[in-house]
Amino acid sequence: MYENIAKLVQYGLHTGLIKEEDKIYATNQILEVMGLDDYEEPEVVGEYSNLEEILEGLLGEARERGLVDEGVVAGDLFDTKLMNCLMPRPSEVIAEFNRHYDNSPKEATDYFYKLSQDSNYIRRERVKRDMKWTVDSAYGEIEMSINLSKPEKDPKAIAAAKLMKQSSYPKCQLCVENEGYAGRLNHPARQNHRIIPITINDTPWGFQYSPYVYYNEHCIVLSAEHSPMKIDRLAFKKLFDFITLFPHYFVGSNADLPIVGGSILSHEHFQGGCHDFPMAKAPIEKTFTVKGFEDVEAGIVKWPLSVIRIRSEKAERLVELADHILSTWREYTDEEAFIYAETDGEPHNTITPIARMNQGKYELDLTLRNNITTKECPLGVYHPHAQYHNIKKENIGLIEVMGLAILPARLKNEMTLLSGYLSRGEDFSGEESLVKHKEWVEKFKKNYDIIGKNEKEVMDILLKEMGKTFVCVLEDAGVYKCNEQGRMFFDRFINSL
């Protein structure tokens, strides 16, 4: 135990989280968390290896001594408390970030991203477990992932969380009050979390990274005020305010309506980062001009969802045109195309916007969304259809709109199991977790000579077919289909502008 404590302090020194002058202080802080009042510095401290091994060692000791319950959630709460012993104060992080920013925005984000990983706020070892691959499609290369870095709560933690007194602090996981919060069974620990204050639209906002990094430098830009998501003219301005601060990043917003929005609609926030998404690489299939905005480039993107791309050297011109497109779309009804602005007073039309700099020009992608439901499609007409729910049932949010699938963790075990059955030519209908995949497999099985292939070869086939299914899911989410009739309906909306 003493060696692991020394190794953790050594890790803090090596990564720059603490300085030599902090060594005794940090050691004593760790001793307090471990419930120790005695300590002997090991004569020889081996290489600190990786952080996960050190924390697992200390966590094991703490469990043996009755300090921590079993389970991932309790473990995460405890090891975050340990990492807090190495963390610089928010004011120190902000000062260091600003010092780097004076040199360049990229230098500042490089510093902050490294800190967010070194602090174990972003758990590098868990992120490495994510499955990632690509598939070719008619729309270019599509990115696929099965997310394994977000821990699934164990039954014991779920049961305990239900018995806990409900707390309204912090109000949600995006509130600035999360910085330094110890967490609880139904709310993650955030002692190792830091937020950089920035100004967006002359109001206070925060800049942080996502702990689950679905892509490179996955950041979250959040309002300092707990206010609901809203797509309007100001939202477009806020996106470009961020791009002006960090021109090497893209930034986008989830839509502001259920079904087509993100998982958190109660707190205004954007997501960005340093990643070139498939949608950003997609070409314009048809250009057009909007009256009064002849100076702005505009076109329909060749993409399964219905996307308008506008470009200009002046961000304010894009804000004006985007506001015009949004206002028109909010009120737009085309019964023949099954587009209804509202039913029974409930609004359906909104937009998922994504902003970036591209070759010296501001660029804004506007994805048209509609959340209408029917008896046949109770989860949404422009939502993954039931035949694909074995692979993807969840909402299509910002990240997936841009061409990166975030598939549920269950699929890793299910596909591993399924590849074994298929390679052996065995019936899997008796395997409860695989029954939902039966119709899906039957559709593509005839296209491959699967029996006799090894499990890795079969897994490659399954990954490819999951990619094809995800493309179909994106097509489901498109309000205008990529066929002659769909493009005719799309043109009809463009002409209404």
Side-chain angles (χ1 to χ4, degrees):
M1 178 160 53
Y2 287 169
E3 187 173 342
N4 273 326
I5 289 170
K7 281 182 177 180
L8 186 57
V9 173
Q10 189 185 52
Y11 171 85
L13 290 167
H14 179 81
T15 55
L17 288 172
I18 60 171
K19 296 181 171 64
E20 190 64 38
E21 299 89 335
D22 303 318
K23 185 177 176 181
I24 294 173
Y25 176 83
T27 301
N28 286 330
Q29 293 293 300
I30 295 167
L31 293 179
E32 181 185 5
V33 174
M34 293 298 296
L36 299 171
D37 51 18
D38 195 16
Y39 178 67
E40 289 180 21
E41 181 87 34
E43 288 184 16
V44 179
V45 179
E47 279 296 310
Y48 63 80
S49 60
N50 70 47
L51 178 61
E52 190 175 49
E53 287 178 13
I54 301 169
L55 293 175
E56 280 180 359
L58 291 171
L59 185 57
E61 292 281 357
R63 281 188 166 133
E64 280 185 23
R65 300 172 66 242
L67 294 174
V68 191
D69 289 336
E70 294 296 325
V72 176
V73 176
D76 285 0
L77 291 171
F78 186 80
D79 69 21
T80 304
K81 190 183 293 186
L82 284 171
M83 290 307 299
N84 187 43
C85 301
L86 305 177
M87 288 301 295
R89 296 275 180 172
S91 58
E92 296 174 71
V93 175
I94 293 164
E96 188 68 6
F97 181 90
N98 290 336
R99 186 180 71 78
H100 286 290
Y101 190 90
D102 287 342
N103 292 330
S104 78
K106 185 179 185 306
E107 185 180 308
T109 55
D110 285 348
Y111 154 75
F112 190 39
Y113 191 54
K114 180 179 182 297
L115 175 86
S116 299
Q117 295 175 90
D118 291 342
S119 67
N120 211 39
Y121 166 71
I122 296 171
R123 295 175 182 258
R124 283 189 179 106
E125 294 304 312
R126 284 187 186 168
V127 172
K128 285 178 188 174
R129 295 170 198 156
D130 289 350
M131 288 179 63
K132 296 185 177 182
W133 71 100
T134 59
V135 292
D136 292 327
S137 78
Y139 310 99
E141 195 173 69
I142 301 294
E143 297 176 1
M144 305 293 298
S145 73
I146 294 177
N147 182 259
L148 303 168
S149 57
K150 192 171 186 177
E152 297 202 17
K153 292 182 180 178
D154 48 275
K156 188 177 177 182
I158 293 170
K162 283 182 180 178
L163 298 175
M164 286 184 69
K165 181 183 176 183
Q166 289 301 305
S167 171
S168 59
Y169 182 87
K171 289 180 181 176
C172 77
Q173 291 188 29
L174 292 177
C175 285
V176 293
E177 288 80 11
N178 281 278
E179 188 176 39
Y181 187 62
R184 50 186 191 268
L185 287 176
N186 58 2
H187 194 102
R190 290 291 181 251
Q191 291 115 312
N192 57 352
H193 172 43
R194 295 295 178 262
I195 300 174
I196 303 297
I198 59 175
T199 300
I200 300 288
N201 190 41
D202 300 322
T203 56
W205 280 59
F207 168 68
Q208 66 177 58
Y209 287 103
S210 164
Y212 311 118
V213 287
Y214 292 146
Y215 51 85
N216 186 45
E217 297 179 48
H218 179 181
C219 70
I220 299 173
V221 190
L222 49 96
S223 171
E225 180 186 342
H226 182 77
S227 54
M229 296 285 288
K230 190 176 183 182
I231 300 298
D232 57 8
R233 181 191 180 93
L234 283 181
F236 301 134
K237 182 182 184 304
K238 290 168 188 172
L239 292 177
F240 285 117
D241 280 358
F242 179 81
I243 292 295
T244 302
L245 288 173
F246 302 99
H248 60 300
Y249 274 12
F250 82 90
V251 67
S253 175
N254 266 305
D256 54 358
L257 293 178
I259 297 176
V260 295
S263 56
I264 301 179
L265 293 175
S266 60
H267 195 125
E268 186 177 18
H269 69 284
F270 307 136
Q271 295 181 77
C274 190
H275 185 67
D276 205 9
F277 278 88
M279 191 172 85
K281 301 173 189 174
I284 297 292
E285 68 174 46
K286 181 179 181 179
T287 61
F288 63 88
T289 303
V290 179
K291 187 178 180 182
F293 295 92
E294 290 80 6
D295 56 319
V296 178
E297 299 172 39
I300 294 172
V301 180
K302 186 183 178 183
W303 194 244
L305 286 98
S306 308
V307 183
I308 294 171
R309 178 171 296 160
I310 54 178
R311 301 184 73 220
S312 175
E313 293 175 355
K314 298 177 180 178
E316 59 271 22
R317 289 296 283 159
L318 296 187
V319 171
E320 290 170 12
L321 178 52
D323 183 47
H324 171 60
I325 293 171
L326 174 66
S327 300
T328 306
W329 179 244
R330 290 277 195 200
E331 304 296 325
Y332 188 76
T333 291
D334 182 343
E335 294 186 8
E336 188 183 0
F338 207 77
I339 303 293
Y340 292 88
E342 58 85 24
T343 54
D344 300 324
E346 180 189 345
H348 296 305
N349 290 348
T350 186
I351 277 175
T352 300
I354 302 104
R356 65 182 79 87
M357 289 294 295
N358 186 356
Q359 297 179 331
K361 287 187 176 183
Y362 290 101
E363 190 169 273
L364 184 64
D365 284 353
L366 302 169
T367 311
L368 306 180
R369 312 299 300 275
N370 181 288
N371 75 346
I372 195 168
T373 61
T374 63
K375 287 181 180 178
E376 296 75 24
C377 299
L379 297 179
V381 172
Y382 305 107
H383 178 88
H385 288 180
Q387 62 184 311
Y388 307 126
H389 285 181
N390 64 310
I391 302 298
K392 179 69 180 177
K393 185 179 182 179
E394 299 77 15
N395 294 351
I396 300 300
L398 170 68
I399 296 170
E400 293 180 311
V401 163
M402 296 185 290
L404 168 58
I406 311 293
L407 301 180
R410 64 172 171 82
L411 285 171
K412 181 178 186 290
N413 290 335
E414 290 174 9
M415 292 301 131
T416 301
L417 199 58
L418 185 57
S419 63
Y421 276 102
L422 292 176
S423 67
R424 296 189 299 269
E426 295 177 3
D427 177 39
F428 59 86
S429 56
E431 190 70 48
E432 188 179 349
S433 66
L434 301 183
V435 173
K436 58 180 168 288
H437 297 302
K438 194 161 182 63
E439 286 186 24
W440 178 66
V441 169
E442 290 302 321
K443 286 179 183 175
F444 66 76
K445 192 176 173 184
K446 60 183 179 294
N447 299 325
Y448 302 95
D449 183 16
I450 290 179
I451 298 173
K453 289 185 182 292
N454 63 49
E455 290 187 23
K456 184 188 179 303
E457 290 173 319
V458 177
M459 178 60 88
D460 287 342
I461 291 170
L462 294 176
L463 295 177
K464 181 180 178 181
E465 290 299 326
M466 278 195 282
K468 288 181 179 179
T469 299
F470 178 65
V471 172
C472 293
V473 161
L474 293 182
E475 289 174 336
D476 284 347
V479 293
Y480 296 120
K481 305 309 175 189
C482 298
N483 54 36
E484 188 177 346
Q485 184 186 52
R487 269 14 198 180
M488 178 191 75
F489 291 148
F490 204 160
D491 284 343
R492 195 183 289 174
F493 171 69
I494 296 298
N495 293 335
S496 76
L497 298 172

PDB file of all heavy atoms in Angstrom, residues 142-165:
ATOM      1  N   ILE A 142     -18.158   5.957 -43.216  1.00  0.00           N
ATOM      2  CA  ILE A 142     -18.938   6.191 -42.000  1.00  0.00           C
ATOM      3  C   ILE A 142     -18.160   5.632 -40.812  1.00  0.00           C
ATOM      4  O   ILE A 142     -17.564   4.551 -40.897  1.00  0.00           O
ATOM      5  CB  ILE A 142     -20.325   5.522 -42.087  1.00  0.00           C
ATOM      6  CG1 ILE A 142     -21.116   6.065 -43.291  1.00  0.00           C
ATOM      7  CG2 ILE A 142     -21.114   5.721 -40.790  1.00  0.00           C
ATOM      8  CD1 ILE A 142     -21.492   7.519 -43.212  1.00  0.00           C
ATOM      9  N   GLU A 143     -18.150   6.366 -39.714  1.00  0.00           N
ATOM     10  CA  GLU A 143     -17.412   5.946 -38.519  1.00  0.00           C
ATOM     11  C   GLU A 143     -18.338   5.215 -37.545  1.00  0.00           C
ATOM     12  O   GLU A 143     -19.453   5.669 -37.288  1.00  0.00           O
ATOM     13  CB  GLU A 143     -16.786   7.166 -37.836  1.00  0.00           C
ATOM     14  CG  GLU A 143     -15.769   7.864 -38.726  1.00  0.00           C
ATOM     15  CD  GLU A 143     -15.219   9.129 -38.103  1.00  0.00           C
ATOM     16  OE1 GLU A 143     -15.618   9.458 -36.964  1.00  0.00           O
ATOM     17  OE2 GLU A 143     -14.390   9.793 -38.742  1.00  0.00           O
ATOM     18  N   MET A 144     -17.847   4.107 -37.028  1.00  0.00           N
ATOM     19  CA  MET A 144     -18.638   3.272 -36.133  1.00  0.00           C
ATOM     20  C   MET A 144     -17.922   3.119 -34.792  1.00  0.00           C
ATOM     21  O   MET A 144     -16.692   3.086 -34.738  1.00  0.00           O
ATOM     22  CB  MET A 144     -18.834   1.880 -36.743  1.00  0.00           C
ATOM     23  CG  MET A 144     -19.445   1.859 -38.130  1.00  0.00           C
ATOM     24  SD  MET A 144     -21.163   2.430 -38.136  1.00  0.00           S
ATOM     25  CE  MET A 144     -21.926   1.181 -37.085  1.00  0.00           C
ATOM     26  N   SER A 145     -18.687   3.008 -33.710  1.00  0.00           N
ATOM     27  CA  SER A 145     -18.084   2.723 -32.413  1.00  0.00           C
ATOM     28  C   SER A 145     -19.092   2.040 -31.501  1.00  0.00           C
ATOM     29  O   SER A 145     -20.295   2.273 -31.599  1.00  0.00           O
ATOM     30  CB  SER A 145     -17.568   4.007 -31.750  1.00  0.00           C
ATOM     31  OG  SER A 145     -18.644   4.797 -31.281  1.00  0.00           O
ATOM     32  N   ILE A 146     -18.567   1.172 -30.668  1.00  0.00           N
ATOM     33  CA  ILE A 146     -19.340   0.617 -29.547  1.00  0.00           C
ATOM     34  C   ILE A 146     -18.695   1.195 -28.301  1.00  0.00           C
ATOM     35  O   ILE A 146     -17.511   0.954 -28.034  1.00  0.00           O
ATOM     36  CB  ILE A 146     -19.313  -0.924 -29.534  1.00  0.00           C
ATOM     37  CG1 ILE A 146     -20.042  -1.469 -30.768  1.00  0.00           C
ATOM     38  CG2 ILE A 146     -19.957  -1.462 -28.258  1.00  0.00           C
ATOM     39  CD1 ILE A 146     -20.012  -2.991 -30.883  1.00  0.00           C
ATOM     40  N   ASN A 147     -19.459   1.980 -27.558  1.00  0.00           N
ATOM     41  CA  ASN A 147     -18.888   2.704 -26.425  1.00  0.00           C
ATOM     42  C   ASN A 147     -18.815   1.818 -25.191  1.00  0.00           C
ATOM     43  O   ASN A 147     -19.823   1.339 -24.691  1.00  0.00           O
ATOM     44  CB  ASN A 147     -19.713   3.953 -26.137  1.00  0.00           C
ATOM     45  CG  ASN A 147     -19.106   4.754 -25.003  1.00  0.00           C
ATOM     46  OD1 ASN A 147     -19.558   4.694 -23.881  1.00  0.00           O
ATOM     47  ND2 ASN A 147     -18.046   5.474 -25.307  1.00  0.00           N
ATOM     48  N   LEU A 148     -17.586   1.612 -24.713  1.00  0.00           N
ATOM     49  CA  LEU A 148     -17.364   0.789 -23.530  1.00  0.00           C
ATOM     50  C   LEU A 148     -16.752   1.582 -22.383  1.00  0.00           C
ATOM     51  O   LEU A 148     -16.512   1.032 -21.301  1.00  0.00           O
ATOM     52  CB  LEU A 148     -16.437  -0.390 -23.887  1.00  0.00           C
ATOM     53  CG  LEU A 148     -16.931  -1.280 -25.033  1.00  0.00           C
ATOM     54  CD1 LEU A 148     -15.828  -2.220 -25.491  1.00  0.00           C
ATOM     55  CD2 LEU A 148     -18.152  -2.073 -24.612  1.00  0.00           C
ATOM     56  N   SER A 149     -16.488   2.880 -22.600  1.00  0.00           N
ATOM     57  CA  SER A 149     -15.822   3.689 -21.573  1.00  0.00           C
ATOM     58  C   SER A 149     -16.787   4.239 -20.540  1.00  0.00           C
ATOM     59  O   SER A 149     -16.394   4.589 -19.437  1.00  0.00           O
ATOM     60  CB  SER A 149     -15.048   4.847 -22.224  1.00  0.00           C
ATOM     61  OG  SER A 149     -15.904   5.652 -23.013  1.00  0.00           O
ATOM     62  N   LYS A 150     -18.065   4.314 -20.899  1.00  0.00           N
ATOM     63  CA  LYS A 150     -19.061   4.802 -19.936  1.00  0.00           C
ATOM     64  C   LYS A 150     -19.499   3.615 -19.092  1.00  0.00           C
ATOM     65  O   LYS A 150     -20.108   2.669 -19.610  1.00  0.00           O
ATOM     66  CB  LYS A 150     -20.256   5.404 -20.682  1.00  0.00           C
ATOM     67  CG  LYS A 150     -21.196   6.200 -19.796  1.00  0.00           C
ATOM     68  CD  LYS A 150     -22.219   6.942 -20.640  1.00  0.00           C
ATOM     69  CE  LYS A 150     -23.084   7.857 -19.783  1.00  0.00           C
ATOM     70  NZ  LYS A 150     -24.031   8.643 -20.594  1.00  0.00           N
ATOM     71  N   PRO A 151     -19.195   3.616 -17.790  1.00  0.00           N
ATOM     72  CA  PRO A 151     -19.483   2.427 -16.979  1.00  0.00           C
ATOM     73  C   PRO A 151     -20.969   2.149 -16.854  1.00  0.00           C
ATOM     74  O   PRO A 151     -21.771   3.063 -16.689  1.00  0.00           O
ATOM     75  CB  PRO A 151     -18.880   2.782 -15.612  1.00  0.00           C
ATOM     76  CG  PRO A 151     -18.873   4.281 -15.575  1.00  0.00           C
ATOM     77  CD  PRO A 151     -18.652   4.723 -16.992  1.00  0.00           C
ATOM     78  N   GLU A 152     -21.326   0.879 -16.967  1.00  0.00           N
ATOM     79  CA  GLU A 152     -22.710   0.492 -16.753  1.00  0.00           C
ATOM     80  C   GLU A 152     -22.906   0.241 -15.265  1.00  0.00           C
ATOM     81  O   GLU A 152     -22.115  -0.478 -14.637  1.00  0.00           O
ATOM     82  CB  GLU A 152     -23.033  -0.756 -17.575  1.00  0.00           C
ATOM     83  CG  GLU A 152     -22.912  -0.506 -19.071  1.00  0.00           C
ATOM     84  CD  GLU A 152     -23.704  -1.515 -19.889  1.00  0.00           C
ATOM     85  OE1 GLU A 152     -24.576  -2.185 -19.324  1.00  0.00           O
ATOM     86  OE2 GLU A 152     -23.437  -1.607 -21.092  1.00  0.00           O
ATOM     87  N   LYS A 153     -23.930   0.850 -14.688  1.00  0.00           N
ATOM     88  CA  LYS A 153     -24.145   0.723 -13.249  1.00  0.00           C
ATOM     89  C   LYS A 153     -24.472  -0.718 -12.882  1.00  0.00           C
ATOM     90  O   LYS A 153     -25.258  -1.385 -13.555  1.00  0.00           O
ATOM     91  CB  LYS A 153     -25.269   1.657 -12.802  1.00  0.00           C
ATOM     92  CG  LYS A 153     -24.892   3.131 -12.900  1.00  0.00           C
ATOM     93  CD  LYS A 153     -26.011   4.021 -12.398  1.00  0.00           C
ATOM     94  CE  LYS A 153     -25.604   5.488 -12.507  1.00  0.00           C
ATOM     95  NZ  LYS A 153     -26.687   6.385 -12.063  1.00  0.00           N
ATOM     96  N   ASP A 154     -23.846  -1.186 -11.772  1.00  0.00           N
ATOM     97  CA  ASP A 154     -24.144  -2.531 -11.304  1.00  0.00           C
ATOM     98  C   ASP A 154     -25.481  -2.532 -10.563  1.00  0.00           C
ATOM     99  O   ASP A 154     -25.910  -1.492 -10.034  1.00  0.00           O
ATOM    100  CB  ASP A 154     -23.018  -3.034 -10.401  1.00  0.00           C
ATOM    101  CG  ASP A 154     -22.610  -2.018  -9.351  1.00  0.00           C
ATOM    102  OD1 ASP A 154     -21.775  -1.137  -9.667  1.00  0.00           O
ATOM    103  OD2 ASP A 154     -23.142  -2.081  -8.235  1.00  0.00           O
ATOM    104  N   PRO A 155     -26.172  -3.677 -10.521  1.00  0.00           N
ATOM    105  CA  PRO A 155     -27.498  -3.747  -9.894  1.00  0.00           C
ATOM    106  C   PRO A 155     -27.534  -3.229  -8.458  1.00  0.00           C
ATOM    107  O   PRO A 155     -28.500  -2.587  -8.042  1.00  0.00           O
ATOM    108  CB  PRO A 155     -27.826  -5.244  -9.944  1.00  0.00           C
ATOM    109  CG  PRO A 155     -27.032  -5.758 -11.095  1.00  0.00           C
ATOM    110  CD  PRO A 155     -25.767  -4.955 -11.105  1.00  0.00           C
ATOM    111  N   LYS A 156     -26.450  -3.481  -7.703  1.00  0.00           N
ATOM    112  CA  LYS A 156     -26.402  -3.037  -6.311  1.00  0.00           C
ATOM    113  C   LYS A 156     -26.435  -1.510  -6.226  1.00  0.00           C
ATOM    114  O   LYS A 156     -27.130  -0.937  -5.386  1.00  0.00           O
ATOM    115  CB  LYS A 156     -25.133  -3.581  -5.649  1.00  0.00           C
ATOM    116  CG  LYS A 156     -25.068  -3.336  -4.149  1.00  0.00           C
ATOM    117  CD  LYS A 156     -23.814  -3.968  -3.562  1.00  0.00           C
ATOM    118  CE  LYS A 156     -23.712  -3.673  -2.072  1.00  0.00           C
ATOM    119  NZ  LYS A 156     -22.478  -4.243  -1.476  1.00  0.00           N
ATOM    120  N   ALA A 157     -25.670  -0.856  -7.117  1.00  0.00           N
ATOM    121  CA  ALA A 157     -25.638   0.607  -7.115  1.00  0.00           C
ATOM    122  C   ALA A 157     -26.982   1.189  -7.553  1.00  0.00           C
ATOM    123  O   ALA A 157     -27.429   2.203  -7.019  1.00  0.00           O
ATOM    124  CB  ALA A 157     -24.523   1.106  -8.038  1.00  0.00           C
ATOM    125  N   ILE A 158     -27.616   0.538  -8.528  1.00  0.00           N
ATOM    126  CA  ILE A 158     -28.928   1.010  -9.002  1.00  0.00           C
ATOM    127  C   ILE A 158     -29.953   0.924  -7.877  1.00  0.00           C
ATOM    128  O   ILE A 158     -30.730   1.855  -7.636  1.00  0.00           O
ATOM    129  CB  ILE A 158     -29.393   0.189 -10.228  1.00  0.00           C
ATOM    130  CG1 ILE A 158     -28.476   0.462 -11.429  1.00  0.00           C
ATOM    131  CG2 ILE A 158     -30.839   0.513 -10.588  1.00  0.00           C
ATOM    132  CD1 ILE A 158     -28.693  -0.469 -12.605  1.00  0.00           C
ATOM    133  N   ALA A 159     -29.935  -0.192  -7.162  1.00  0.00           N
ATOM    134  CA  ALA A 159     -30.877  -0.386  -6.050  1.00  0.00           C
ATOM    135  C   ALA A 159     -30.626   0.635  -4.943  1.00  0.00           C
ATOM    136  O   ALA A 159     -31.563   1.224  -4.388  1.00  0.00           O
ATOM    137  CB  ALA A 159     -30.748  -1.802  -5.501  1.00  0.00           C
ATOM    138  N   ALA A 160     -29.344   0.868  -4.626  1.00  0.00           N
ATOM    139  CA  ALA A 160     -29.003   1.824  -3.569  1.00  0.00           C
ATOM    140  C   ALA A 160     -29.378   3.241  -3.965  1.00  0.00           C
ATOM    141  O   ALA A 160     -29.844   4.045  -3.139  1.00  0.00           O
ATOM    142  CB  ALA A 160     -27.507   1.740  -3.258  1.00  0.00           C
ATOM    143  N   ALA A 161     -29.189   3.571  -5.240  1.00  0.00           N
ATOM    144  CA  ALA A 161     -29.509   4.922  -5.721  1.00  0.00           C
ATOM    145  C   ALA A 161     -31.000   5.217  -5.605  1.00  0.00           C
ATOM    146  O   ALA A 161     -31.409   6.351  -5.324  1.00  0.00           O
ATOM    147  CB  ALA A 161     -29.043   5.081  -7.173  1.00  0.00           C
ATOM    148  N   LYS A 162     -31.826   4.176  -5.808  1.00  0.00           N
ATOM    149  CA  LYS A 162     -33.279   4.365  -5.714  1.00  0.00           C
ATOM    150  C   LYS A 162     -33.713   4.733  -4.296  1.00  0.00           C
ATOM    151  O   LYS A 162     -34.708   5.417  -4.094  1.00  0.00           O
ATOM    152  CB  LYS A 162     -34.002   3.080  -6.152  1.00  0.00           C
ATOM    153  CG  LYS A 162     -34.034   2.880  -7.660  1.00  0.00           C
ATOM    154  CD  LYS A 162     -34.802   1.614  -8.017  1.00  0.00           C
ATOM    155  CE  LYS A 162     -34.841   1.396  -9.529  1.00  0.00           C
ATOM    156  NZ  LYS A 162     -35.536   0.134  -9.873  1.00  0.00           N
ATOM    157  N   LEU A 163     -32.951   4.248  -3.308  1.00  0.00           N
ATOM    158  CA  LEU A 163     -33.295   4.492  -1.904  1.00  0.00           C
ATOM    159  C   LEU A 163     -32.749   5.826  -1.397  1.00  0.00           C
ATOM    160  O   LEU A 163     -33.108   6.268  -0.309  1.00  0.00           O
ATOM    161  CB  LEU A 163     -32.747   3.353  -1.031  1.00  0.00           C
ATOM    162  CG  LEU A 163     -33.307   1.946  -1.334  1.00  0.00           C
ATOM    163  CD1 LEU A 163     -32.585   0.909  -0.491  1.00  0.00           C
ATOM    164  CD2 LEU A 163     -34.812   1.912  -1.085  1.00  0.00           C
ATOM    165  N   MET A 164     -31.862   6.441  -2.191  1.00  0.00           N
ATOM    166  CA  MET A 164     -31.252   7.700  -1.765  1.00  0.00           C
ATOM    167  C   MET A 164     -32.247   8.849  -1.799  1.00  0.00           C
ATOM    168  O   MET A 164     -33.146   8.885  -2.643  1.00  0.00           O
ATOM    169  CB  MET A 164     -30.069   8.058  -2.676  1.00  0.00           C
ATOM    170  CG  MET A 164     -28.829   7.224  -2.461  1.00  0.00           C
ATOM    171  SD  MET A 164     -27.490   7.815  -3.500  1.00  0.00           S
ATOM    172  CE  MET A 164     -27.140   9.395  -2.719  1.00  0.00           C
ATOM    173  N   LYS A 165     -32.052   9.788  -0.888  1.00  0.00           N
ATOM    174  CA  LYS A 165     -32.841  11.010  -0.908  1.00  0.00           C
ATOM    175  C   LYS A 165     -32.484  11.781  -2.183  1.00  0.00           C
ATOM    176  O   LYS A 165     -31.316  11.927  -2.529  1.00  0.00           O
ATOM    177  CB  LYS A 165     -32.516  11.851   0.327  1.00  0.00           C
ATOM    178  CG  LYS A 165     -33.304  13.144   0.408  1.00  0.00           C
ATOM    179  CD  LYS A 165     -32.866  13.959   1.621  1.00  0.00           C
ATOM    180  CE  LYS A 165     -33.586  15.309   1.642  1.00  0.00           C
ATOM    181  NZ  LYS A 165     -33.115  16.159   2.770  1.00  0.00           N
TER     182      LYS A 165
END
